[in-house]
Amino acid sequence: MTATDVKQRTAEGVEPRGIARWFSGLNRDKLEQAVVGYLFVLPDLIGLIVFMVGPMLMALVISVTNWKLVGDPQFVALQNYEALFTDPKFGASLGRTFLYTLGFVPVIYTLSLGMAVLLTRKSRGNTFFRTVYFMPVAMSLVVAGVIWRFMFDPSNGLINVILSGLGLPTSQWTGHVQSAMVAVLIVSIWKGAGYFMIILLAGIQDIPSDYIEAAQIDGANRWQAFRHIIMPLLKPTSFFVLVVLTINALQAFDQIYVMTRGGPAYATYTTLMYIYEKAFREWNFGYAAAMSVALFAMIFVLTVVQVRYFRAGEVKA
Amino acid sequence: MKKSPMQLLGTGLYYAVALLLAVVFAGPFVWMVSSSLKPANEIFSNPPILVSDNFSLDNYESVFEKAPFERYMLNSFIVATSVTVAALLLHSMAGYALARLEFPGRRVLFMLIISTLMIPFYTILIPLALLVRELGWINTYWALIIPAIPHAFGIFWFRQFFLGLPSELEDAARIDGASRIGVFFRIALPMARPVAAAMAVFFFLANWDAFLWPLIATTRQEMRVVQVGIQSFTGEHGNAWEEIMAASVIAILPTLILFFALQRFIVDSVKMSGLKG
């Protein structure tokens, strides 16, 4: 009863007054919504088209030319792509990119998850520990790379001093072909673990605690509760984290540039490093663009595979 | 209540692991600050010196003497702040329109915007560099600010927020005769403060920390941002670690302050990036 009253009164209120009555045909509000809607979306839309979609299409165009800093670019069809297949440097850079990814994703995921689980325990100090683990988020990859390069100093760096103090073998770290990638990985993992810990922690906290309590009443221990309750329910978050980690790993640049410049002896020379040098050291835009498109295509396929794999796992579970 | 031995063991283990991790994550910060205060001859002393009697701010002085770090900081500040302000305004407007206003093509536009999330930065790097050069923006703030503003993530999050926001207040204002634009700026936008705060932190941090794009878009020293500045400082003063550490402290001080002052919003922004649409 009162509801209808309100409705009628509101309907009266909507009735336009004065000159607006002239335009109060069916479409006045629709028109306003459309005008304001386009007005509000337009600046961002132009920005995205000019600075993202356009450049993406341009990358495809540039990749089929021999565009260099000087001279007019000419259409070369798929020559750049053909050259990629026989370029040992490209193949090796891809290998290192995937090696980096394989070293990065499982370790940082496990560490972040472990820290998230650790912090779900109801203990004093949780807030403090969370803040500390999360602190590297306040630091850029460049600064992280600089600090760790200092600590990894082969002769008297802090890490080697600690290692030898503990009676453990020391390493040349960024100074040696076999350890440089490990050093870069340690920095990347150190820098990112807290960030992904927060995402996973939020995911775990979204799981209703009744589920875990019910399992514990049924006699499940902490490990079983983790394995059979938390992990399956955390799957969407885990999946998201794994996809983002993979994408991040495949385009790692800052810390590598700062720590090793791709060296020593190309030991950390990833594809993005190669793209950067081809384009902005050798000024060979055509070839570099072809590499970037090829890398994008490979990552795209990889992501699709990941999604498929995840979906398949869902059906099974 | 008394704890059983097993519980005590569990608690002990928890603190042992948690503390070990804390040392690993906080250690480099502590070592950076300590080294930045030391004289050169104590930098690589063995056993390492954490707190020295010879602590001083000399290294900080020489950093500012050797490189225009105040200029780098100013550049980073101008860029990060401008991008953040513009991004918040434009993304909140676009997000609001896509959530609240009915207009033809809305769904298609939203799909188009979201699909740009798939475009990786390394693929558009070269065309973007050529575009910016064509526009004559190399070594200008424009090159650092304008391309960093459009970001589907920001639009997406404002849209999500407005979709979940009850529209009663806005409806009431409309009944009182407010225009759609007025409703957005006076009613809806002020209510979006929590998302806006998290977004602001996200954009500020991302742009303060940006390295690859400023490295390409600027060549002159006075246009360097702090990340590029610090990297070139390490190149030019390769062995003066005490000064490089002082420069590093300078470079992260603003974000570290931001981190401790606005940690809640930073955590919010990270959680938001983790939620699936």
Side-chain angles (χ1 to χ4, degrees):
Chain A
M1 217 165 41
T2 38
T4 16
D5 281 352
V6 171
K7 216 182 239 169
Q8 273 167 0
R9 223 173 291 152
T10 336
E12 279 164 19
V14 174
E15 207 66 49
R17 295 166 299 257
I19 295 177
R21 198 188 288 270
W22 276 65
F23 294 93
S24 74
L26 279 160
N27 290 323
R28 192 195 173 279
D29 182 54
K30 269 193 178 170
L31 195 69
E32 191 190 357
Q33 287 197 43
V35 170
V36 176
Y38 289 126
L39 197 73
F40 275 17
V41 175
L42 210 59
D44 255 339
L45 194 67
I46 293 172
L48 285 168
I49 289 172
V50 173
F51 295 105
M52 291 196 90
V53 180
M56 183 70 207
L57 300 175
M58 267 303 278
L60 295 172
V61 174
I62 296 170
S63 76
V64 292
T65 69
N66 61 357
W67 199 324
K68 300 219 168 78
L69 190 61
V70 284
D72 286 330
Q74 280 157 342
F75 177 69
V76 296
L78 297 177
Q79 272 178 31
N80 287 328
Y81 291 97
E82 282 162 26
L84 284 181
F85 280 101
T86 51
D87 179 356
K89 222 172 150 187
F90 180 67
S93 79
L94 272 183
R96 273 177 232 105
T97 305
F98 285 109
L99 184 72
Y100 174 87
T101 307
L102 280 178
F104 178 72
V105 178
V107 177
I108 190 172
Y109 172 75
T110 311
L111 182 64
S112 314
L113 182 63
M115 296 194 306
V117 170
L118 190 74
L119 294 185
T120 50
R121 196 192 145 96
K122 285 185 185 61
S123 282
R124 246 180 296 170
N126 258 347
T127 323
F128 169 77
F129 289 126
R130 194 191 67 182
T131 304
V132 171
Y133 304 164
F134 192 54
M135 250 165 67
V137 174
M139 186 185 271
S140 67
L141 273 164
V142 171
V143 174
V146 168
I147 294 175
W148 279 88
R149 207 177 91 204
F150 167 51
M151 296 197 301
F152 276 139
D153 188 273
S155 43
N156 284 307
L158 184 66
I159 303 294
N160 273 353
V161 169
I162 291 173
L163 286 176
S164 63
L166 295 170
L168 295 165
T170 58
S171 164
Q172 294 287 302
W173 298 114
T174 51
H176 196 276
V177 176
Q178 281 175 336
S179 50
M181 187 63 98
V182 176
V184 170
L185 279 168
I186 288 174
V187 177
S188 311
I189 290 164
W190 177 82
K191 167 77 174 78
Y195 186 93
F196 293 96
M197 171 195 79
I198 294 287
I199 296 180
L200 289 163
L201 189 61
I204 293 175
Q205 281 163 349
D206 278 348
I207 297 171
S209 56
D210 325 5
Y211 291 15
I212 298 160
E213 279 157 22
Q216 277 167 345
I217 289 166
D218 287 347
N221 61 32
R222 291 178 73 88
W223 168 251
Q224 285 167 328
F226 171 73
R227 177 77 189 75
H228 297 291
I229 308 286
I230 294 178
M231 278 309 276
L233 289 172
L234 195 62
K235 221 169 169 187
T237 312
S238 290
F239 170 69
F240 172 82
V241 167
L242 287 171
V243 170
V244 172
L245 283 173
T246 310
I247 292 170
N248 282 359
L250 292 164
Q251 38 186 311
F253 182 83
D254 300 5
Q255 66 276 46
I256 300 176
Y257 186 91
V258 169
M259 291 176 75
T260 64
R261 288 277 171 107
Y266 294 104
T268 53
Y269 202 74
T270 55
T271 306
L272 186 48
M273 191 63 71
Y274 192 20
I275 293 172
Y276 169 78
E277 291 209 340
K278 245 315 169 244
F280 302 104
R281 287 277 177 272
E282 297 174 32
W283 308 106
N284 189 341
F285 300 124
Y287 193 69
M291 279 198 278
S292 74
V293 172
L295 186 63
F296 172 64
M298 276 180 278
I299 293 174
F300 189 79
V301 170
L302 203 73
T303 310
V304 170
V305 170
Q306 271 182 311
V307 173
R308 281 275 165 80
Y309 179 78
F310 172 71
R311 292 252 168 85
E314 267 238 302
V315 175
K316 243 188 285 166
Chain B
M1 212 167 75
K2 260 189 141 179
K3 282 187 171 174
S4 73
M6 273 306 280
Q7 278 173 317
L8 276 176
L9 187 72
T11 310
L13 203 64
Y14 163 82
Y15 279 110
V17 175
L19 273 173
L20 182 71
L21 285 168
V23 169
V24 170
F25 282 101
F29 285 87
V30 176
W31 192 241
M32 163 179 67
V33 174
S34 159
S35 301
S36 74
L37 298 168
K38 282 180 210 167
N41 60 351
E42 289 182 10
I43 273 291
F44 283 129
S45 57
N46 191 357
I49 303 168
L50 190 60
V51 182
S52 165
D53 295 334
N54 304 317
F55 270 180
S56 77
L57 293 173
D58 293 354
N59 298 325
Y60 289 84
E61 265 177 57
S62 41
V63 164
F64 281 107
E65 277 163 23
K66 285 179 182 170
F69 257 86
E70 66 283 355
R71 179 66 199 236
Y72 299 164
M73 300 282 276
L74 180 71
N75 289 342
S76 284
F77 190 78
I78 289 171
V79 171
T81 311
S82 311
V83 174
T84 305
V85 171
L88 286 186
L89 179 68
L90 297 187
H91 301 342
S92 61
M93 280 165 44
Y96 183 77
L98 292 168
R100 277 278 199 271
L101 306 177
E102 292 281 352
F103 54 91
R106 185 174 73 152
R107 284 172 62 93
V108 178
L109 282 178
F110 181 62
M111 295 307 278
L112 177 77
I113 289 169
I114 284 302
S115 67
T116 63
L117 280 173
M118 287 193 317
I119 299 175
F121 185 61
Y122 58 81
T123 310
I124 59 170
L125 190 58
I126 294 160
L128 208 53
L130 295 171
L131 174 67
V132 161
R133 202 183 56 166
E134 202 59 41
L135 292 168
W137 284 0
I138 295 289
N139 284 317
T140 67
Y141 287 125
W142 300 120
L144 300 175
I145 295 170
I146 305 293
I149 297 169
H151 205 303
F153 178 61
I155 303 171
F156 175 79
W157 270 108
F158 275 108
R159 177 179 173 269
Q160 286 296 98
F161 174 80
F162 288 122
L163 281 179
L165 186 74
S167 62
E168 274 103 12
L169 274 176
E170 292 161 67
D171 296 342
R174 297 264 313 134
I175 289 160
D176 289 346
S179 69
R180 291 272 171 186
I181 294 178
V183 166
F184 170 71
F185 281 106
R186 282 199 300 268
I187 314 286
L189 193 56
M191 284 195 290
R193 257 179 310 202
V195 205
M199 277 288 127
V201 170
F202 172 86
F203 276 99
F204 189 88
L205 275 185
N207 284 285
W208 184 275
D209 290 351
F211 173 66
L212 178 53
W213 177 243
L215 180 71
I216 289 164
T218 60
T219 54
R220 291 218 309 268
Q221 193 183 36
E222 71 263 27
M223 286 310 295
R224 276 179 189 163
V225 295
V226 78
Q227 307 301 336
V228 179
I230 197 132
Q231 127 69 30
S232 52
F233 191 82
T234 63
E236 288 147 18
H237 307 272
N239 296 314
W241 281 113
E242 66 287 354
E243 288 173 6
I244 293 168
M245 287 303 113
S248 301
V249 173
I250 295 165
I252 70 159
L253 213 55
T255 43
L256 210 58
I257 292 168
L258 200 71
F259 176 82
F260 283 110
L262 302 175
Q263 209 194 125
R264 189 163 63 87
F265 296 116
I266 301 183
V267 171
D268 282 353
S269 78
V270 174
K271 278 184 189 164
M272 266 163 45
S273 76
L275 294 173
K276 306 139 299 286

